[in-house]
Amino acid sequence: MRPRVMLVGPRLSGKATIATYLEQSEVPLRKVDNIVYRKETVTVPDNYLECPWMYNHIIALQQTAKCGLFIQPMKAHKDTYPPNFAKVFRIPIFGIITYHESYTEDEYSYTERQLMETGIKEINAIINLDKPEELSRLDQLLN
């Protein structure tokens, strides 16, 4: 089985946009409520993060993944991931912050703290989803 990039994030975090970019699809990929295996990615639905009894399914997905992207939107105002969740994984986990238009320093600090509490060592990319050219930062990160 081909290793894929595992995309994990809450609602409106930009998982579908990132998956569309990584799959090099010309048609935007749509959101569904189950785990979706594609050629390059495996996408975890946001409702899996909202239910603690589904965490073991997310952890099990690392068997088919080469790395994981924990995506945190700048405008999220509630904790998304459980504390130290990223430390459970044996594959590399990258912290990605997404936003639309702009953000304040307070929003960035809060979002960064949320990802750090997840057990991620550093923020690997900050991506404006309104500018598709910024998604190219993921190429450098994943290669």
Side-chain angles (χ1 to χ4, degrees), residues 70 84 86-87 89 91-95 112 115-124:
F70 275 24
N84 294 316
K87 292 182 178 181
F89 295 87
I91 58 174
I93 300 294
F94 301 109
E112 179 184 41
L115 275 177
M116 293 300 181
E117 288 175 357
T118 304
I120 292 174
K121 295 179 178 89
E122 66 177 315
I123 304 303
N124 300 98

Side-chain angles (χ1 to χ4, degrees), residues 2-14:
R2 178 188 178 116
R4 297 169 172 90
V5 177
M6 181 174 61
L7 303 175
V8 185
R11 181 172 283 122
L12 302 175
S13 61

Side-chain angles (χ1 to χ4, degrees), residues 2-124:
R2 178 188 178 116
R4 297 169 172 90
V5 177
M6 181 174 61
L7 303 175
V8 185
R11 181 172 283 122
L12 302 175
S13 61
K15 290 188 306 282
T17 303
I18 292 172
T20 301
Y21 174 77
L22 293 176
E23 295 292 337
Q24 298 177 351
S25 174
E26 295 181 17
V27 179
L29 303 175
R30 62 186 187 94
K31 178 190 179 289
V32 293
D33 288 333
N34 54 347
I35 295 171
V36 178
Y37 287 88
R38 295 186 181 92
K39 185 178 178 185
E40 300 293 330
T41 62
V42 57
T43 305
V44 178
D46 49 73
N47 55 3
Y48 277 46
L49 281 174
E50 296 169 2
C51 302
W53 56 88
M54 298 301 278
Y55 294 163
N56 59 343
H57 297 288
I58 299 171
I59 295 165
L61 284 175
Q62 73 181 321
Q63 296 175 22
T64 61
K66 62 181 177 182
C67 68
L69 300 182
F70 275 24
I71 305 165
Q72 182 67 37
M74 195 73 72
K75 301 292 183 182
H77 295 294
K78 72 175 197 176
D79 291 339
T80 302
Y81 304 96
N84 294 316
F85 189 54
K87 292 182 178 181
V88 173
F89 295 87
R90 294 177 312 214
I91 58 174
I93 300 294
F94 301 109
I96 308 295
I97 295 176
T98 58
Y99 69 97
H100 292 277
E101 296 174 16
S102 64
Y103 59 89
T104 66
E105 192 61 37
D106 289 340
E107 288 173 326
Y108 175 78
S109 297
Y110 180 75
T111 306
E112 179 184 41
R113 183 182 58 77
Q114 284 181 308
L115 275 177
M116 293 300 181
E117 288 175 357
T118 304
I120 292 174
K121 295 179 178 89
E122 66 177 315
I123 304 303
N124 300 98

